[in-house]
Amino acid sequence: MEALRNGGYAPKEAHRLGVIFCITAGCVQYSRRFYDEALRNPATASPVIFPETVFNAPGSHLGAILESAAINYTLVGDPGTFLQGIALAAGWLSEGKADSCLVVGAEEIDWLMADAYRHFSRGVVCGEGAGAVYFSNESPAGASGVELLAITSPGLYLNGMSRLQAIRRMRAELPCAGPGAMLCDSMAGWPARDRAESDVWSDWNGSRLSPKRVLGEGLMAAGAWQCVAAVDHLRSDGHRTALVSIAGSHQQAIGACFSTYQNG
């Protein structure tokens, strides 16, 4: 709701608000509750909670709350998928499939997730929350704002491309990585996991933000936090461009560039 309000969204009868909901772990708490009840006594397990185990349930609920009957997608992946969601929103706007788009990244923490990190990455501090960015082709005359300039192609973590190579390729594709830009990276303060991204950006001398160092590993929410922090920084700190570098947990490295503008 804050993203819609800050973006100047005003519901209109013919306005098509697209919704893109991005998530990594799904409805973990509802899934755990359902299976817990089913294991205890299948005959009495509540069927009311079963629909909540579907990945796209939060997105459909959000569309209902916003009273939007327009296109509504759910994307599942690592934190870099939030930028895939933004790229999808840009495509919808350019192709006329929606008049504006809300891209949401959210995550909830459950003991199952915390225990999984304990087994495989003991240094990780889990976080939870949400972030959202609102996009529209329309802006009032004379208003200043922030626009999306570019999103890189994803550098997939494959046998033929290491994490370091994927992040290096992502940085090379960013169009506004020159002096005067600020960087919002995905490093979280854990040397073993941050090493590749740290090496690629080791020569960066400009302003820098690392939200996960404060908020923890929020998975998809962390990707949203990076974009929200970058946009807010542009609005308040005088920089003209901001870069977002996301080295995803297991899938891809992907980046974006945002810039301020002033309408005539």
Side-chain angles (χ1 to χ4, degrees), residues 84-110:
Q84 299 272 17
I86 290 179
L88 181 61
W92 287 357
L93 293 176
S94 64
E95 295 166 10
K97 294 182 178 179
D99 300 312
S100 63
C101 287
L102 181 68
V103 185
V104 181
E107 214 69 59
E108 60 184 11
I109 288 296
D110 184 85

Side-chain angles (χ1 to χ4, degrees), residues 73-92:
Y73 275 17
T74 294
L75 303 184
V76 181
D78 73 2
T81 302
F82 188 77
L83 291 184
Q84 299 272 17
I86 290 179
L88 181 61
W92 287 357

